[in-house]
Amino acid sequence: MVAILSIGQDSFYSDTTQPDDEGHMVDFGELDIDISQNARAMIQAIQDQRRDRRQRRWWTRDWLLRRPIHDQTVTHGYSKIKKRNTWYRKCTDPGLRLAITLRYLATGDSYHTLMYGFRVAHNTICGIVREVCEAIVSVYSEDVLLTPTEPKQWKAIADQFEAKWQFPHTLGALDGKHVPIRCPKNGGSLYYNYKGYHSIVLMALVDADYKFRWVNIGAQGEFSDAQIWNQSDLKQAIERGLMGLPTPTPFPGDDKPLGYYIIADDAFGMRTWLMKPFSRRCLSYEERIFNYRLSRSRRVVENAFGILANRFRCLLSVMNQEPETVHVIVFACVCLHNIMRMRYPGDQNLLLDQEDERH
């Protein structure tokens, strides 16, 4: 006869009648009961130990629970970045999410540094920064990143260039900026640029007031500015006549109609609507003056990149996120840059050099 002793989910099988050394059948039931009692006690101790271990686990550490007292922000309601509470965890306040993101964009501090300041775990901050930047882009990009499509709008930009930089018929300054990133997994040399580091490219068209009018973000660092521009949607739209460029008009004090154009450096190809400097040596006096004037006007795109990077200092350091996330972060920085220049023009232009009527 075989007896089965069940303890929890484990079963112990024992034959209560077994032969001894002399061949006689002996009942070992009492011995099996002793063994089963020892096994039961051992299993109970293991279960108690596991139960104690589960009770010591927490979703949030104690120092993170002190966030309402010691964090570095005042909370407000922002519906676009607001999350819902669940039965097991409270969501982070939208004001806190926005404050963390703006602090990261402005300082470029690591997520581990921000973790101790805001009492939010670094892996949570990783998701917060991207989500808030996506919200900024979705809400503001169409309102603050305005690419002209009508002759009147282009003409207003040209008048600005003529008044501020004495270079008429200019529709914008074009150039690219490399944003350093960590080499992506299996990225190889795709993002490795000619400057010797990995990057994505921010290509932009900037007006005379340092506002971004068109951007192309996310191209791999190995591509040159000319390659990125040749494949851009803006170039194709201009060549197809879809951007509404103004009709040629004479320069001041002249009677010969001349077209309007974008200004750029030597990296770009010459077009009737794209002006670049003379590149040969032994320039004449007039050609040198032209190069100086064009360089003086084209400087606005370089200055815009400098203002952008010094205000949002995350762009000055090597960004450790994936290229797709870096794309979103850079786009959000561009939107915030334009918001500040549009809503607070007086504060933005305090340090600019300007020329009065007496030169």
Side-chain angles (χ1 to χ4, degrees):
M1 179 179 65
V2 177
I4 302 178
L5 301 177
S6 299
I7 304 175
Q9 296 180 350
D10 299 324
S11 299
F12 297 87
Y13 297 84
S14 62
D15 189 353
T16 58
T17 57
Q18 298 181 8
D20 59 4
D21 296 337
E22 298 179 358
H24 300 289
M25 301 302 294
V26 180
D27 188 359
F28 291 93
E30 296 181 357
L31 180 60
D32 291 338
I33 292 175
D34 294 337
I35 295 175
S36 65
Q37 291 176 348
N38 293 334
R40 186 190 301 272
M42 180 176 63
I43 294 174
Q44 185 65 35
I46 294 174
Q47 291 178 347
D48 292 341
Q49 183 179 5
R50 291 178 177 177
R51 188 179 300 109
D52 294 340
R53 184 181 306 168
R54 285 197 298 269
Q55 291 176 353
R56 288 196 296 269
R57 289 184 178 180
W58 300 93
W59 279 106
T60 308
R61 297 181 183 275
D62 291 338
W63 69 276
L64 295 176
L65 294 176
R66 295 190 289 272
R67 180 189 308 150
I69 303 174
H70 300 293
D71 72 334
Q72 300 179 2
T73 182
V74 178
T75 59
H76 300 280
Y78 301 91
S79 59
K80 195 69 177 180
I81 56 177
K82 187 176 181 180
K83 298 294 183 179
R84 293 183 178 180
N85 294 330
T86 63
W87 64 270
Y88 62 90
R89 180 186 294 178
K90 289 185 177 181
C91 66
T92 53
D93 188 86
L96 174 63
R97 295 166 65 86
L98 180 61
I100 291 173
T101 303
L102 294 179
R103 177 63 63 87
Y104 169 73
L105 298 181
T107 63
D109 289 342
S110 67
Y111 292 163
H112 285 79
T113 301
L114 297 173
M115 175 176 66
Y116 297 108
F118 289 96
R119 306 279 172 159
V120 179
H122 66 90
N123 53 346
T124 303
I125 293 177
C126 179
I128 287 175
V129 170
R130 170 155 187 157
E131 292 172 0
V132 175
C133 286
E134 288 175 346
I136 292 173
V137 171
S138 65
V139 172
Y140 292 107
S141 61
E142 294 183 359
D143 296 330
V144 300
L145 192 62
L146 303 174
T147 304
T149 56
E150 298 179 1
K152 183 179 180 180
Q153 298 170 340
W154 288 113
K155 187 71 165 53
I157 296 177
D159 293 341
Q160 271 190 325
F161 270 99
E162 183 175 359
K164 289 188 174 183
W165 307 110
Q166 294 76 54
F167 206 80
H169 286 213
T170 302
L171 303 179
L174 180 69
D175 203 1
K177 170 180 173 58
H178 288 268
V179 179
I181 64 171
R182 182 185 62 183
C183 180
K185 184 178 180 181
N186 300 324
S189 60
L190 292 177
Y191 293 88
Y192 195 76
N193 60 35
Y194 71 97
K195 297 182 179 181
Y197 57 87
H198 296 83
S199 65
I200 66 169
V201 180
L202 163 62
M203 179 162 288
L205 183 69
V206 179
D207 65 14
D209 196 30
Y210 304 115
K211 292 194 295 288
F212 292 92
R213 292 294 186 154
W214 169 86
V215 293
N216 183 303
I217 308 171
Q220 298 168 351
E222 68 167 352
F223 294 114
S224 65
D225 290 347
Q227 289 176 298
I228 299 171
W229 170 246
N230 291 334
Q231 299 176 3
S232 67
D233 54 351
L234 179 60
K235 179 178 182 294
Q236 297 175 6
I238 292 176
E239 290 180 339
R240 295 174 184 174
L242 303 177
M243 296 306 297
L245 300 185
T247 56
T249 57
F251 272 9
D254 197 359
D255 59 354
K256 183 178 180 180
L258 292 175
Y260 289 77
Y261 42 78
I262 295 171
I263 56 177
D265 57 18
D266 287 330
F268 299 88
M270 178 76 76
R271 296 290 188 276
T272 56
W273 43 264
L274 192 147
M275 187 71 66
K276 58 184 291 187
F278 291 100
S279 57
R280 69 174 187 267
R281 297 181 180 179
C282 301
L283 300 179
S284 65
Y285 180 71
E286 291 78 9
E287 291 173 342
R288 290 172 57 192
I289 293 178
F290 173 83
N291 279 4
Y292 163 74
R293 285 292 182 178
L294 187 145
S295 176
R296 185 171 178 269
S297 302
R298 194 188 60 81
R299 234 175 16 182
V300 296
V301 65
E302 304 288 355
N303 293 344
F305 289 147
I307 295 170
L308 178 72
N310 281 278
R311 173 171 289 139
F312 303 104
R313 303 187 70 85
C314 63
L315 304 179
L316 295 177
S317 59
V318 177
M319 304 184 71
N320 294 318
Q321 298 88 346
E322 293 296 323
E324 294 79 11
T325 303
V326 176
H327 178 183
V328 176
I329 292 174
V330 174
F331 203 172
C333 292
V334 170
C335 292
L336 294 174
H337 169 90
N338 277 9
I339 289 174
M340 298 183 70
R341 297 210 65 83
M342 294 170 66
R343 296 187 179 180
Y344 312 103
D347 295 337
Q348 306 303 312
N349 297 327
L350 290 176
L351 301 179
L352 297 182
D353 295 330
Q354 298 182 354
E355 189 175 272
D356 58 15
E357 299 83 3
R358 294 177 297 178
H359 307 288

